Amino acid sequence: MHTTVGIIGGGPAGLLLARLLHNAGIDSVVLESRDRAYVEQRQRAGILEQATVDVLRAAGAGERLDREGMPHDGIELRHGRRAHRVDFPTLTDGRRVWVYAQTEVVKDLIALQLVDGGPLHFEAEVHAVEAADTDRPVIRYTHEGREQTLTCDYVVGCDGFHGVTKNAVPEGVRTTYERTYPYSWLGILADAPPVYDELIYAHSERGFALASMRSESVSRLYLQVPNGTDPADWSDERIWDELDARFALDANREWRLKRGTVTSKAVLPMRSHVTEPMRYGRVFLAGDAAHIVPPTGAKGLNLAAADVIVLARAFAHLKDTGSADLLDAYSDTCLRRVWRAEHFSYFMTTTLHADPEQSPFETKLQLSQLDRIATSEHAAAELAENYTGLPLDPADTRQ
């Protein structure tokens, strides 16, 4: 087979790219190593930036999002047993975020792809990307028990941190920047209605906690735990008790979470990682294949979407004008946004978590920073602008 763009990875980045290319009249093939059921149930991010929502709507994938997604106009920060709300629209000229799980984004995009998009092959295990620096790169993969090849004009790796595409970029060409954190998140899904309207980020002496949601009846909650924690060591009752302790307020001592059946429990490590450049020859990296952020800033899915939006526009520009200028600028264009998101995610993570090695002096610095956000419109605006997402259009100067 031959296609214009071979896309490795059928997660939200790969599927969104395929949809945007289809709408621009550019053919593609998507190869996904897992089966459809696994992809549609893979739990990941749940916060969509304004720009991501706008693009999904324009791509034809916004109908269910608008019906079932939950728009949020702010977040609540808790520290020192006090609460402060950061109002996004007031601070960002009207921008907001949506709670709509990655599983639902993927379901919507798969449905569109299967109705009128290009080929989407599940259980297609990619082994290698070859001839990346030629005008006909090759994807070698196994599908339906047969080894196959797909020649492409271009290859886009949306196959995640452990995918094979980044191996097409020679070690002497790519540079890796990374940081690991001395703590993890214990995350749960629970059949319990949220008692809060917006996400709550809590800094406490006991460690960080986050209250999120998946719907009006399902809560998504996180606790900071030591690296190497076994989820089995945490009973449901212990988790609920610890969450209540970390979210406690002096002004409302009766505030408690609603408890329900815990349906999922997992420990998530925290990592920052960037691979540069995001292009080698005719192979491009997008999403987690190129960068990882700790989840504290809600940037992972949105960064991946931004990558493929930039890339789809570059392919459309090539098709319409014959110019590869935007493709040539892809890596530099994306990395400017990537490093801003990396910095914001690092800031949120290190400000809100209790490092086991930190001194009382460093804890006081964290509390001072949180106090400034609570008392300074400029500091709150900086957080709000980064959280809701920087503009995708370079002509938009709201930064």
Side-chain angles (χ1 to χ4, degrees):
M1 287 194 299
H2 178 81
T3 189
T4 302
V5 182
I7 302 172
I8 304 174
L15 292 167
L16 178 57
L17 176 59
R19 188 63 192 172
L20 295 174
L21 293 177
H22 170 79
N23 291 347
I26 300 168
D27 63 285
S28 69
V29 174
V30 181
L31 303 174
E32 166 56 45
S33 64
R34 302 285 192 163
D35 62 32
R36 179 177 178 178
Y38 180 92
V39 173
E40 290 186 339
Q41 296 168 12
R42 186 164 44 195
Q43 293 289 338
R44 292 291 188 276
I47 303 296
L48 303 182
E49 294 175 359
Q50 178 79 59
T52 304
V53 170
D54 292 344
V55 169
L56 287 169
R57 287 170 172 162
E63 180 180 349
R64 198 160 66 93
L65 189 160
D66 284 329
R67 186 173 66 249
E68 300 177 14
M70 295 179 285
H72 282 193
D73 286 338
I75 59 173
E76 183 176 298
L77 297 177
R78 293 190 180 183
H79 68 286
R81 301 176 67 91
R82 293 172 288 122
H84 172 75
R85 181 174 181 269
V86 180
D87 186 275
F88 292 157
T90 301
L91 297 165
T92 64
D93 194 22
R95 293 203 298 273
R96 62 199 330 196
V97 297
W98 273 254
V99 172
Y100 191 65
Q102 174 176 310
T103 52
E104 307 314 301
V105 174
V106 167
K107 289 174 187 175
D108 296 340
L109 291 170
I110 287 175
L112 288 171
Q113 186 76 3
L114 294 178
V115 168
D116 65 1
L120 166 56
H121 298 306
F122 293 104
E123 299 181 87
E125 184 178 357
V126 174
H127 306 296
V129 178
E130 300 174 352
D133 56 349
T134 72
D135 60 1
R136 280 293 186 274
V138 177
I139 302 173
R140 299 196 181 277
Y141 66 103
T142 300
H143 183 236
E144 296 180 341
R146 295 191 300 117
E147 291 191 6
Q148 304 188 45
T149 60
L150 175 65
T151 62
C152 316
D153 293 340
Y154 300 92
V155 174
V156 180
C158 302
D159 49 346
F161 181 76
H162 298 290
V164 303
T165 311
K166 63 183 176 185
N167 295 330
V169 183
E171 290 188 6
V173 173
R174 70 177 187 260
T175 302
T176 297
Y177 305 88
E178 59 186 346
R179 171 176 178 147
T180 56
Y181 296 84
Y183 34 73
S184 299
W185 279 8
L186 172 61
I188 66 167
L189 274 175
D191 291 333
V195 294
Y196 40 90
D197 297 324
E198 296 167 339
L199 272 64
I200 304 173
Y201 289 78
H203 175 289
S204 83
E205 295 178 352
R206 305 174 69 96
F208 169 77
L210 170 61
S212 183
M213 62 196 72
R214 283 293 178 265
S215 70
E216 294 180 354
S217 60
V218 176
S219 295
R220 183 70 160 153
L221 299 145
Y222 301 93
L223 286 170
Q224 176 188 342
V225 293
N227 287 341
T229 293
D230 184 347
D233 292 338
W234 284 75
S235 68
D236 293 358
E237 184 178 8
R238 181 186 177 192
I239 291 171
W240 289 116
D241 288 347
E242 188 63 25
L243 285 165
D244 280 339
R246 296 190 191 186
F247 288 121
L249 296 170
D250 283 339
N252 184 1
R253 294 181 179 273
E254 302 304 314
W255 195 94
R256 295 289 188 278
L257 295 164
K258 287 189 176 179
R259 302 190 177 193
T261 301
V262 175
T263 58
S264 174
K265 189 187 304 182
V267 170
L268 314 173
M270 309 284 280
R271 173 193 292 121
S272 297
H273 176 99
V274 180
T275 295
E276 294 188 4
M278 292 172 59
R279 176 194 182 175
Y280 176 71
R282 292 202 170 196
V283 174
F284 298 82
L285 304 179
D288 287 0
H291 43 74
I292 300 285
V293 290
T296 327
K299 292 293 146 209
L301 172 57
N302 295 291
L303 268 186
D307 289 347
V308 299
I309 291 165
V310 170
L311 196 50
R313 290 175 179 174
F315 282 128
H317 182 71
L318 174 66
K319 174 178 177 287
D320 294 340
T321 69
S323 171
D325 289 351
L326 295 184
L327 281 177
D328 292 340
Y330 167 76
S331 183
D332 289 341
T333 300
C334 289
L335 284 170
R336 284 193 293 272
R337 185 185 185 91
V338 166
W339 279 112
R340 177 88 295 276
E342 290 282 353
H343 184 274
F344 176 66
S345 299
Y346 171 84
F347 164 77
M348 290 286 285
T349 302
T350 56
T351 300
L352 289 163
H353 289 73
D355 188 321
E357 301 296 326
Q358 77 185 32
S359 67
F361 177 85
E362 291 167 309
T363 300
K364 286 290 189 179
L365 292 180
Q366 290 177 317
L367 294 172
S368 174
Q369 180 61 52
L370 291 166
D371 280 339
R372 175 158 173 77
I373 293 169
T375 57
S376 166
E377 183 175 325
H378 295 293
E382 177 71 10
L383 186 154
E385 287 173 358
N386 280 277
Y387 197 100
T388 57
L390 301 179
L392 289 172
D393 185 352
D396 190 336
T397 59
R398 292 178 300 171
Q399 299 267 348

